[in-house]
């Protein structure tokens, strides 16, 4: 599959329907999210203090947001003191231009990249290629995606939508690896290792993102499992890190808490294989790049910062736990969300980056079950934020049409009927008894099998329901109160 | 353990020296190279680069790295490597196997223990790169199936001296 880089968030419903009909995708998604969920659960269970850690994680990121302008300046001072440089980028265009300028000034031809959502967001690869540079993604998943000219479908497992057969096809087609089909997963890894080794050893520039940036030391932290981020930030003579301004934590020592949360939430690891703490340029006789550039990326973040309801979403550490927990993501997959951030957090932040009018369906891509909030290591109130966005969608359409939004006829009818009955207790009693009688007549073994009902079809056609209880709540209430009264009298 | 390394690279760590790793390698006739950023390491890397550029051979001459560390974490089984002159990290990241020597006193119980003053993660004494290494290089990017050794060392062992 090859997806264009234009966001397709405005067609979420159609995208999701297409994904549901794709058997290969459903197979890949089903297997992956199950593993993610169980790995996370066992890693979290190991720490009886996990709730406490979540509270700390929340507090640290909240403090960072409260003091963000000051912390950013402090961060810059420390980077500079250690021989690095900081470049401020208001938007994607400015960020890309900074990187292109550095590369041109330094006569760079070949660039290796490690995984970074910020660079996905600004389409850095595209800009660099257009400017004539050779850019190679070195994270295995990103490498596959780059070869296939696709876009990632999960913030930490970009190629999770592909089966190994598909990866073999891609390697055979794009790398002329005739042995790829039948190589098995270890064989495919070996091909990637061999191909990318050449790039690592010849690149003049390495580009990375950052998971965290510590204001009081000017350090960035890159968390990874493959070793490619370590190589990207060590071998080439220039290291450029693209860092969203929300990555700051106030103190270097806060990283202890954040790292305990991140690995467990993301992949269920206590720590990932490599945690890289990068500070400044290499000293005398020390191995490492001669130049270290940090691009501090705003690109809409300060707009979110100003939103009273949604600014908490800037605490996100991009662990992906909410994706794996989400019943909608598990079936619709990441591409349905139409942009670089998927799942519940994608549904919250995509409308803010692209504008609500370009992603009006995303706030509705949730059953509001709250599973995302339950697992979020920094306690982002995603369901509340989705509700807030829904009300913004309604407000915007009210404003546009100058009238309150029109409900679908069946919806107004059912709410009208509900309101009518709700005000007439006798009638209500009668209607609930009638409903119970009808439903119990259809049920067997306490279940009402899925059935096709006009108008209610979207709900009933695919679900077995439980038969209604023998008594309505009001009947039970009356019975119990009657008994209590009798006991009191006695 | 038999890893069949064709050559060993080692850092200038005191433990590595104390154990006599360089002399032992010489005695066994195993090619050895110190990771001191000097001419020898440059030649070694150029060899790796040439092998990588030639591509087709899946088993490019592969090496084992023997290094020391600045601390270790019991809870996670991690070691902390700090870059310094004679303690590069590109060298061991490029190897197929990694052996880390440490003493029992270097082990702290959990991550917090490394952040105290004088620890590997003392914010007032940070080198260019601190790497916490927890096991071998790994990936699960294809079908969430764990595979070992994608870019960094696929074999990892920590040897604790009593
Ligand atoms: S919103 Fe929370 S759970 Fe989702 S990716 Fe961000 S930090 Fe992780």
């Amino acid at each position: 599959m090859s997806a264009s880089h234009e966001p397709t968030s405005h067609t979420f419903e159609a995208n999701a329907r297409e994904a549901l009909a794709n058997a290969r995708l459903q197979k890949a998604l089903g297997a992956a999210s199950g593993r993610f969920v169980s790995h996370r659960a066992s890693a979290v269970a190991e720490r009886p203090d996990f709730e406490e850690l979540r509270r700390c994680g929340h507090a640290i990121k909240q403090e960072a947001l409260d003091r963000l302008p000051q912390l950013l300046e402090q961060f810059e001072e420390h980077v500079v003191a250690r021989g690095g440089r900081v470049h401020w980028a208001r938007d994607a265009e400015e960020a890309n231009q900074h990187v292109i300028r550095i590369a041109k000034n330094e006569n760079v031809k070949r660039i290796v990249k490690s995984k970074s959502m910020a660079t996905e967001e600004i389409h850095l690869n595209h800009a660099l290629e257009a400017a004539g540079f050779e850019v190679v993604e070195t994270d295995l998943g990103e490498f596959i995606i780059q070869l296939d000219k696709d876009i990632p479908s999960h913030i930490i497992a970009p190629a999770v939508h592909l089966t190994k057969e598909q990866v073999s096809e891609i390697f055979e087609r794009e790398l002329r690896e005739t042995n790829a089909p039948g190589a098995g997963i270890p064989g495919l890894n070996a091909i990637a290792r061999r191909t990318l080794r050449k790039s690592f050893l010849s690149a003049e520039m390495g580009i990375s993102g950052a998971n965290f940036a510590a204001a009081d030391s000017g350090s960035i932290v890159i968390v990874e499992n493959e070793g490619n981020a370590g190589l990207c930030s060590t071998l080439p003579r220039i290291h450029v890190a693209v860092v969203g301004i929300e990555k700051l934590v106030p103190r270097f020592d806060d990283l202890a808490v954040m790292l305990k949360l991140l690995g467990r939430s993301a992949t269920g690891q206590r720590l990932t294989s490599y945690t890289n703490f990068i500070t400044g340029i290499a000293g005398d006789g020390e191995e490492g790049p001669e130049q270290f550039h940090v691009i501090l990326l705003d690109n809409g973040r300060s707009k979110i910062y100003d939103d009273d309801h949604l600014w908490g979403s800037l605490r996100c550490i991009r662990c992906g736990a909410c994706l794996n927990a989400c019943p909608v993501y598990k079936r619709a997959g990441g591409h349905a969300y139409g942009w670089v951030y998927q799942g519940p957090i994608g549904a919250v932040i995509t409308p803010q980056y692209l504008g609500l009018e370009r992603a009006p369906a995303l706030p509705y891509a949730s059953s509001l079950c709250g599973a995302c909030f339950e697992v979020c290591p920094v306690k982002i109130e995603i369901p509340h934020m989705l509700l807030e966005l829904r009300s913004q969608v309604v407000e915007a359409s009210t404003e546009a049409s100058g009238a309150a939004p029109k409900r679908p006829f069946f919806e107004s009818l059912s709410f009208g009927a509900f309101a009518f009955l709700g005000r007439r207790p006798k009638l209500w009693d009668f209607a609930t008894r009638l409903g119970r009688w009808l439903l119990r007549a259809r049920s067997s073994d306490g279940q009402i099998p899925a059935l096709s009902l006009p108008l209610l079809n979207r709900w009933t056609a695919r679900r077995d329901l439980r038969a209604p209880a023998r008594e309505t709540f009001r009947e039970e209430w009356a019975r119990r109160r009657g008994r209590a009264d009798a006991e009191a009298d006695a | 353990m038999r890893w069949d390394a064709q050559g060993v690279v080692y850092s200038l760590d005191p433990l590595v020296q104390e154990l006599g790793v360089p002399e032992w390698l010489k005695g066994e006739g195993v090619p050895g190279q110190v990771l001191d950023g000097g001419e020898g390491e440059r030649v070694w890397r150029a060899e790796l680069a040439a092998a990588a550029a030639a591509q087709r051979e899946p088993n490019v001459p592969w090496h084992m790295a023997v290094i020391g560390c600045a601390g270790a974490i019991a809870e996670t089984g991690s070691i902390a490597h700090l870059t310094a002159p004679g303690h590069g990290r590109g060298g061991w990241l490029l190897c197929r196997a990694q052996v880390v020597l440490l003493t029992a006193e270097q082990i702290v119980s959990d991550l917090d223990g490394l952040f105290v003053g004088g620890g590997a993660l003392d914010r007032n004494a940070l080198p260019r790169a601190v790497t916490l290494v927890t096991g071998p290089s790994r990936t699960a990017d294809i079908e969430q199936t764990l595979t070992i050794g994608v870019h960094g060392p696929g074999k990892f062992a920590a040897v604790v001296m009593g």
Side-chain angles (χ1 to χ4, degrees), chain A residues 32 35-36 47 82 138-141 163-164 177 185-186 188-189 193-198 200-201 216 219 225-226 228 230-231 233-235 239 252-253 256 259-260 264 269-280 284-287 289 292, chain B residues 41 45 48-49 52-53 55-58 73 75-76 78 83-86 88-96 98 110-112 115 121 123 126-139 141-145 147 149-153:
Chain A
R35 282 197 195 109
F36 269 127
R47 297 242 18 158
R82 290 293 302 264
T138 59
D139 169 83
L140 177 62
T163 59
K164 63 172 177 296
E177 288 284 347
I185 293 173
L188 294 171
N189 280 341
R193 176 186 170 105
R194 174 152 48 74
T195 310
L196 289 168
R197 183 112 316 192
K198 199 171 58 177
F200 282 125
L201 288 160
D216 67 348
S219 311
N225 272 313
E226 299 183 4
N228 63 315
L231 289 166
S233 58
T234 304
L235 300 182
H239 175 198
F252 185 80
D253 293 357
L259 288 168
K260 284 180 199 169
R264 289 185 166 84
Q269 290 171 279
R270 295 172 186 155
L271 275 180
T272 54
S273 293
Y274 304 103
T275 307
N276 305 282
F277 301 76
I278 304 285
T279 314
D284 269 349
E286 188 183 16
E287 184 191 16
F292 175 51
Chain B
E41 184 176 350
R45 287 206 189 183
L48 281 189
Q55 280 260 351
R56 293 298 130 193
E57 190 46 46
I73 308 172
E75 188 206 6
T76 57
S78 315
T83 52
R89 71 169 182 157
W92 56 259
L93 270 170
L94 287 166
C95 284
R96 281 287 178 100
Q98 177 180 24
D110 85 348
L111 189 53
D112 301 331
F115 280 85
L121 289 167
R123 98 176 164 85
L126 291 167
R128 153 73 190 176
V130 181
T131 321
L132 299 184
V133 184
T134 311
S137 153
R138 54 195 241 155
T139 181
D141 274 352
I142 302 175
E143 290 191 355
Q144 286 299 98
T145 304
T147 336
V150 59
H151 294 299

Side-chain angles (χ1 to χ4, degrees), chain B residues 85-127:
Chain B
H87 296 262
R89 71 169 182 157
W92 56 259
L93 270 170
L94 287 166
C95 284
R96 281 287 178 100
Q98 177 180 24
V99 175
V100 182
L101 308 179
L102 65 149
T103 59
E105 298 84 72
Q106 286 182 296
I107 304 175
V108 297
S109 69
D110 85 348
L111 189 53
D112 301 331
L114 292 186
F115 280 85
V116 294
L121 289 167
D122 178 354
R123 98 176 164 85
N124 297 311
L126 291 167

Side-chain angles (χ1 to χ4, degrees), chain A residues 155 316-322 345 376-378 380 382:
Chain A
I155 53 183
C316 175
I317 58 173
R318 307 276 188 262
C319 70
C322 59
I345 189 65
C376 178
V378 286
I380 297 177
I382 295 177

Side-chain angles (χ1 to χ4, degrees), chain A residues 123-144:
Chain A
H123 299 309
L124 177 60
N125 288 3
H126 196 72
L128 286 170
E129 277 162 10
F133 299 101
E134 180 194 315
V135 197
V136 180
E137 289 286 352
T138 59
D139 169 83
L140 177 62
E142 294 282 350
F143 176 62
I144 297 167

